[in-house]
Short mmCIF file of all heavy atoms in Angstrom, two decimals:
data_model
loop_
_atom_site.label_atom_id
_atom_site.label_comp_id
_atom_site.label_asym_id
_atom_site.label_seq_id
_atom_site.Cartn_x
_atom_site.Cartn_y
_atom_site.Cartn_z
N GLN X 365 18.85 2.45 -13.45
CA GLN X 365 18.20 1.24 -12.98
C GLN X 365 19.05 0.39 -12.14
O GLN X 365 18.57 -0.42 -11.26
CB GLN X 365 17.47 0.56 -13.97
CG GLN X 365 16.31 1.27 -14.62
CD GLN X 365 15.50 0.32 -15.67
OE1 GLN X 365 16.00 -0.81 -15.98
NE2 GLN X 365 14.53 0.89 -16.33
N GLY X 366 20.38 0.65 -12.32
CA GLY X 366 21.35 -0.21 -11.66
C GLY X 366 21.91 0.50 -10.33
O GLY X 366 22.79 -0.16 -9.76
N CYS X 367 21.28 1.60 -10.15
CA CYS X 367 21.94 2.41 -8.90
C CYS X 367 21.14 1.87 -7.63
O CYS X 367 19.98 1.37 -7.66
CB CYS X 367 21.52 3.87 -9.03
SG CYS X 367 22.34 4.51 -10.57
N GLU X 368 21.77 2.12 -6.55
CA GLU X 368 21.19 1.74 -5.24
C GLU X 368 20.37 3.02 -4.84
O GLU X 368 19.14 2.86 -4.16
CB GLU X 368 22.15 1.50 -4.15
CG GLU X 368 22.49 0.03 -4.00
CD GLU X 368 23.21 -0.37 -5.29
OE1 GLU X 368 23.99 0.27 -5.76
OE2 GLU X 368 22.92 -1.55 -5.79
N ILE X 369 20.81 4.14 -5.07
CA ILE X 369 20.07 5.45 -4.62
C ILE X 369 20.22 6.40 -5.82
O ILE X 369 21.33 6.42 -6.43
CB ILE X 369 20.80 6.13 -3.42
CG1 ILE X 369 20.69 5.14 -2.14
CG2 ILE X 369 20.04 7.45 -3.15
CD1 ILE X 369 21.38 5.68 -0.95
N LEU X 370 19.16 7.02 -6.08
CA LEU X 370 19.13 7.97 -7.22
C LEU X 370 18.66 9.35 -6.63
O LEU X 370 17.54 9.48 -6.20
CB LEU X 370 18.33 7.61 -8.42
CG LEU X 370 18.20 8.72 -9.56
CD1 LEU X 370 19.59 8.95 -10.16
CD2 LEU X 370 17.19 8.22 -10.64
N PHE X 371 19.55 10.48 -6.70
CA PHE X 371 19.14 11.73 -6.41
C PHE X 371 18.81 12.44 -7.72
O PHE X 371 19.58 12.55 -8.61
CB PHE X 371 20.23 12.56 -5.65
CG PHE X 371 19.86 13.91 -5.34
CD1 PHE X 371 19.22 14.26 -4.28
CD2 PHE X 371 20.19 15.07 -6.22
CE1 PHE X 371 18.70 15.64 -4.02
CE2 PHE X 371 19.82 16.31 -5.95
CZ PHE X 371 19.14 16.54 -4.72
N ILE X 372 17.56 12.82 -7.79
CA ILE X 372 16.94 13.62 -8.91
C ILE X 372 16.93 14.99 -8.66
O ILE X 372 16.21 15.50 -7.81
CB ILE X 372 15.65 13.01 -9.34
CG1 ILE X 372 15.58 11.46 -9.61
CG2 ILE X 372 15.11 13.72 -10.60
CD1 ILE X 372 14.34 10.88 -9.93
N SER X 373 17.74 15.86 -9.42
CA SER X 373 17.67 17.31 -9.31
C SER X 373 16.39 17.95 -9.50
O SER X 373 15.63 17.50 -10.40
CB SER X 373 18.75 17.84 -10.25
OG SER X 373 18.70 19.19 -10.35
N SER X 374 16.10 18.98 -8.73
CA SER X 374 14.88 19.57 -8.81
C SER X 374 14.83 20.33 -10.29
O SER X 374 13.76 20.78 -10.64
CB SER X 374 14.56 20.64 -7.78
OG SER X 374 15.77 21.57 -7.74
N GLY X 375 15.96 20.50 -10.78
CA GLY X 375 15.98 21.11 -12.06
C GLY X 375 15.40 20.27 -13.13
O GLY X 375 15.20 20.77 -14.23
N GLU X 376 15.24 19.01 -12.95
CA GLU X 376 14.46 18.17 -14.03
C GLU X 376 13.07 18.63 -14.28
O GLU X 376 12.47 18.31 -15.20
CB GLU X 376 14.45 16.75 -13.42
CG GLU X 376 15.77 15.94 -13.47
CD GLU X 376 16.28 15.76 -14.90
OE1 GLU X 376 15.77 14.77 -15.56
OE2 GLU X 376 17.23 16.51 -15.45
N GLY X 377 12.50 19.35 -13.28
CA GLY X 377 11.20 19.94 -13.34
C GLY X 377 10.15 18.90 -13.89
O GLY X 377 9.92 17.98 -13.20
N ASP X 378 9.43 19.30 -14.94
CA ASP X 378 8.26 18.43 -15.36
C ASP X 378 8.78 17.10 -15.95
O ASP X 378 7.96 16.24 -16.11
CB ASP X 378 7.64 19.13 -16.52
CG ASP X 378 6.81 20.42 -16.03
OD1 ASP X 378 6.61 20.53 -14.84
OD2 ASP X 378 6.59 21.29 -16.93
N GLY X 379 10.06 16.91 -16.04
CA GLY X 379 10.65 15.66 -16.54
C GLY X 379 10.78 14.63 -15.39
O GLY X 379 11.06 13.54 -15.66
N ILE X 380 10.49 14.91 -14.19
CA ILE X 380 10.67 14.00 -13.12
C ILE X 380 9.68 12.88 -13.20
O ILE X 380 10.06 11.65 -12.90
CB ILE X 380 10.48 14.83 -11.71
CG1 ILE X 380 11.61 15.71 -11.39
CG2 ILE X 380 10.31 13.90 -10.65
CD1 ILE X 380 11.58 16.51 -10.19
N ARG X 381 8.51 13.18 -13.49
CA ARG X 381 7.54 12.03 -13.64
C ARG X 381 8.09 10.99 -14.67
O ARG X 381 7.92 9.81 -14.57
CB ARG X 381 6.14 12.52 -13.99
CG ARG X 381 5.55 13.25 -12.94
CD ARG X 381 3.98 13.61 -13.33
NE ARG X 381 3.32 14.40 -12.30
CZ ARG X 381 2.10 14.87 -12.36
NH1 ARG X 381 1.43 14.53 -13.55
NH2 ARG X 381 1.48 15.44 -11.35
#
Side-chain angles (χ1 to χ4, degrees):
Q365 291 183 2
C367 304
E368 274 64 45
I369 300 175
L370 175 63
F371 178 84
I372 302 178
S373 168
S374 59
E376 289 289 283
D378 294 338
I380 288 179
R381 289 185 180 180

